[in-house]
């Protein structure tokens, strides 16, 4: 994959200035000498274009040579190291022919933090792997979005962008991986970072949106819509093309979690009052509604990519996993399993791309993250894997496109990175 980038400004809010301050910590690595304390927009655009092409253009640096990904211990077998090196040569959207993931113990290695080249100075709120390139994004309260190459060895930074007075609540790649959508906490302004053009585009108003702030959202699987979580139970469908609201849905109470079905035809929502709603995306009609079994207060939701499972998190820490098919057919479906391995609120859930792992976490406590084997619904006993703290408070989690890597965004500004050795590809 090749990214060709231009950037027509150094930082949001400086459009009127012809000279950009290059002493800002997010721009220092673009200078070649101390004499470049100021730089014209045109020169900065060219410098950033060169930087992106060096990092992403042609044969990327992470694919040019065979890299030793992990420091080998005496307990590591040679074939595991070969798996690690081989993975760096196998990128793209194909899935290797691997057997089903065994339960009990998950073969994994701790790598250098995904954002080790530029840790955040405040809490991270986002970690996400790029859908097709060997790249990971982090974002957080330090008002920045950063991109890193993932090689497991140095994870070099590609670039950081600074959003003035905009602590990032959530950032997410577009489906094609060419843009990043970012929201904050207290206003309805959000940003679109167009990586193909190198532009940071503020979206100040959305036609048809009567909300005081834009905070939670999901990108539809077809990439054409954003699903914005509003107040008082509203869900708004915004088109990416025209940036206007074309449909709205409403539940009783407040929305706790939202998830698209794998094909984008349906939307699942759960409420803070413990109810689950299933919507038809095309017609915005409610297809079914039921009470999450034993739930008093809903907190989070995730749907598996194979279309089989729906996970609902609660304030009690219980995660109920349902059959999506049964949720569609029954008024009172029973969970396949109630996972009770968290003792504080289940604030984030994520299935891996093969639907063999469900990652669950609570940001209310240190080391409160677990990996659940599917379909046995048993927790892998060796994660978290160290006696000393490595995860801290996990705010968001993600798997790479073919599950070769797993990462978390924590309250310390770090993104711990793990190599899942069962999976051969990135």
């Amino acid at each position: 994959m090749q990214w060709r980038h231009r950037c027509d400004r150094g930082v949001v809010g400086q459009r009127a200035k012809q000279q950009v301050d290059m002493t800002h910590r997010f721009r220092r690595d673009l200078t070649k000498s101390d004499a470049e304390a100021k730089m014209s927009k045109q020169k900065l655009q060219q410098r950033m274009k060169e930087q992106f092409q060096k990092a992403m253009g042609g044969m990327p640096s992470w694919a040019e040579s065979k890299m030793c990904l992990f420091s080998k211990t005496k307990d590591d077998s040679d074939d595991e190291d070969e798996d690690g090196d081989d993975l760096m040569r196998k990128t793209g959207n194909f899935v290797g022919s691997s057997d089903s993931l065994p339960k009990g113990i998950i073969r994994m290695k701790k790598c250098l933090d995904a954002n080790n080249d530029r840790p955040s100075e405040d809490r991270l709120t986002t970690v996400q792997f790029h859908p097709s390139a060997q790249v990971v994004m982090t974002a957080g309260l330090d008002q920045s979005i950063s991109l890193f190459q993932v090689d497991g060895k140095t994870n070099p930074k590609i670039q950081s962008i600074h959003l003035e007075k905009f602590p990032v609540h959530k950032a997410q790649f577009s489906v094609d991986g060419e843009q990043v959508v970012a929201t904050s906490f207290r206003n309805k302004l959000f940003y679109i970072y167009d990586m193909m053009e190198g532009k940071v585009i503020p979206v100040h108003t959305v036609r048809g949106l009567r909300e005081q702030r834009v905070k939670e959202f999901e990108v539809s699987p077809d990439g054409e819509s954003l699903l914005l979580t509003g107040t008082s139970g509203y869900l708004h469908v915004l088109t990416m093309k025209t940036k206007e609201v074309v449909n709205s849905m409403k539940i009783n109470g407040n929305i706790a979690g939202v998830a698209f079905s794998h094909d984008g035809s349906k939307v699942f929502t759960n409420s803070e009052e413990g109810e689950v709603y299933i919507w038809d995306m095309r017609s915005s009609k409610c297809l079914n509604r039921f009470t999450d079994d034993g739930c008093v207060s809903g907190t989070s939701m995730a749907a598996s990519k194979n279309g089989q499972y729906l996970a609902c998190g609660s304030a009690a820490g219980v995660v109920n996993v349902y059959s999506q098919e049964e949720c569609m057919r029954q008024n009172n479906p029973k969970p396949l399993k109630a996972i009770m391995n968290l003792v504080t609120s289940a604030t984030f859930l994520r299935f891996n791309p093969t639907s063999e792992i469900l990652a669950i976490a609570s940001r209310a406590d240190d080391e409160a993250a677990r990996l659940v084997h599917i379909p046995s619904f048993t927790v892998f006993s060796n994660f978290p894997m160290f006696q000393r703290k490595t995860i801290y408070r996990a705010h968001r989690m993600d798997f790479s496109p073919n599950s070769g890597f797993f990462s978390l965004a924590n309250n310390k500004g770090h993104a711990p990175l793990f190599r899942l050795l069962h999976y051969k590809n990135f």
Side-chain angles (χ1 to χ4, degrees):
M1 176 179 177
Q2 292 187 356
W3 288 356
R4 291 176 291 275
H5 296 73
R6 301 190 304 272
C7 186
D8 61 358
R9 58 178 169 274
V11 65
V12 175
Q14 290 185 322
R15 291 188 296 270
K17 297 182 179 180
Q18 294 304 310
Q19 294 291 313
V20 179
D21 179 12
M22 298 304 295
T23 62
H24 192 286
R25 68 180 189 277
F26 293 127
R27 291 189 287 274
R28 285 183 201 139
D29 59 351
L30 286 164
T31 62
K32 295 181 178 179
S33 70
D34 292 340
E36 293 183 323
K38 299 281 186 182
M39 190 179 291
S40 69
K41 286 184 180 181
Q42 290 77 14
K43 188 173 182 180
L44 176 58
Q45 172 185 335
Q46 182 62 30
R47 188 68 55 83
M48 293 182 75
K49 180 179 176 181
E50 291 170 359
Q51 183 193 50
F52 268 109
Q53 288 181 339
K54 180 180 179 182
M56 304 299 297
M59 178 63 75
S61 61
W62 42 259
E64 284 178 352
S65 60
K66 183 176 178 179
M67 298 181 180
C68 181
L69 293 181
F70 313 104
S71 56
K72 187 176 179 181
T73 66
K74 62 181 180 181
D75 296 325
D76 295 333
S77 63
D78 290 338
D79 65 305
E80 286 184 354
D81 285 333
E82 288 172 5
D83 284 349
D85 288 338
D86 195 42
L87 173 119
M88 309 328 297
R89 300 193 297 274
K90 293 180 179 178
T91 59
N93 284 323
F94 61 91
V95 178
S97 57
S98 42
D99 298 327
S100 296
L101 179 70
K103 65 180 181 179
I105 293 176
I106 186 166
R107 293 169 57 232
M108 67 191 317
K109 290 186 180 182
K110 176 74 171 67
C111 304
L112 201 65
D113 287 351
N115 66 336
N116 184 75
D117 206 17
R118 200 200 76 80
S120 174
E121 297 180 355
D122 208 329
R123 168 163 60 92
L124 280 184
T125 56
T126 289
V127 63
Q128 189 189 10
F129 291 94
H130 191 276
S132 56
Q134 202 149 324
V135 170
V136 69
M137 168 179 63
T138 62
L141 301 190
D142 70 349
Q143 307 172 48
S144 70
I145 298 171
S146 298
L147 302 175
F148 303 88
Q149 290 180 8
V150 182
D151 63 14
K153 183 181 178 182
T154 60
N155 303 326
K157 186 184 78 170
I158 299 170
Q159 192 178 57
S160 291
I161 63 167
H162 181 65
L163 302 173
E164 198 72 39
K165 297 179 181 178
F166 196 84
V168 178
H169 170 71
K170 181 178 181 178
Q172 189 171 347
F173 284 115
S174 59
V175 172
D176 61 12
E178 295 181 1
Q179 297 180 333
V180 172
V181 180
T183 60
S184 191
F185 292 85
R186 297 184 180 89
N187 54 53
K188 59 184 178 182
L189 167 71
F190 64 95
Y191 286 100
I192 295 176
Y193 172 33
D194 189 329
M195 292 179 288
M196 295 297 288
E197 296 295 327
K199 294 179 180 179
V200 183
I201 305 162
V203 180
H204 294 281
T205 58
V206 173
R207 186 183 302 173
L209 184 65
R210 296 178 178 86
E211 297 284 349
Q212 295 303 307
R213 66 179 184 180
V214 173
K215 187 178 176 184
E216 294 290 347
F217 70 94
E218 294 293 333
V219 178
S220 65
D222 63 9
E224 294 181 3
S225 305
L226 282 184
L227 198 58
L228 305 178
T229 299
T231 54
S232 304
Y234 277 100
L235 271 176
H236 306 288
V237 181
L238 177 149
T239 63
M240 287 290 286
K241 188 174 183 179
T242 62
K243 310 297 187 295
E244 63 182 341
V245 171
V246 293
N247 247 328
S248 293
M249 297 162 271
K250 188 183 187 307
I251 70 169
N252 294 330
N254 294 310
I255 294 172
V258 177
F260 277 99
S261 62
H262 66 290
D263 60 0
S265 65
K266 294 183 289 293
V267 174
F268 304 97
T269 63
N270 63 344
S271 72
E272 292 178 359
E273 292 70 30
E275 284 193 302
V276 177
Y277 294 75
I278 305 174
W279 303 89
D280 179 77
M281 187 64 177
R282 185 180 295 272
S283 66
S284 297
K285 291 182 179 179
C286 184
L287 302 174
N288 201 10
R289 168 183 169 186
F290 62 90
T291 299
D292 184 15
D293 190 60
C295 177
V296 176
S297 178
T299 53
S300 54
M301 178 168 272
S304 66
K305 291 190 176 181
N306 66 358
Q308 286 187 290
Y309 305 109
L310 179 69
C312 302
S314 71
V318 178
V319 178
N320 284 331
V321 183
Y322 294 89
S323 159
Q324 284 189 30
E325 185 179 353
E326 293 301 303
C327 290
M328 289 294 299
R329 295 194 314 180
Q330 298 187 18
N331 294 325
N332 189 28
K334 295 300 178 184
L336 300 169
K337 181 71 174 181
I339 300 165
M340 300 186 180
N341 295 86
L342 298 177
V343 296
T344 51
S345 179
T347 51
F348 191 79
L349 312 174
R350 173 80 77 197
F351 285 95
N352 81 317
T354 65
S355 305
E356 295 176 298
I357 304 172
L358 171 61
I360 64 176
S362 173
R363 60 172 176 259
D365 204 2
D366 287 344
E367 308 304 294
R370 301 290 184 269
L371 297 178
V372 181
H373 176 265
I374 305 293
S376 72
F377 304 110
T378 56
V379 171
F380 290 106
S381 60
N382 60 323
F383 183 85
M385 57 192 299
F386 301 110
Q387 291 183 349
R388 62 184 179 84
K389 290 182 180 180
T390 55
I391 294 171
Y392 294 93
R393 301 194 177 201
H395 286 257
R396 209 168 289 270
M397 304 176 287
D398 199 26
F399 296 89
S400 59
N402 292 307
S403 302
F405 284 94
F406 169 68
S407 187
L408 312 92
N410 72 22
N411 62 317
K412 301 294 185 180
H414 295 274
L417 180 68
F418 300 88
R419 169 77 174 94
L420 305 185
L421 295 166
H422 174 80
Y423 299 101
K424 306 301 182 185
N425 302 323
F426 179 75

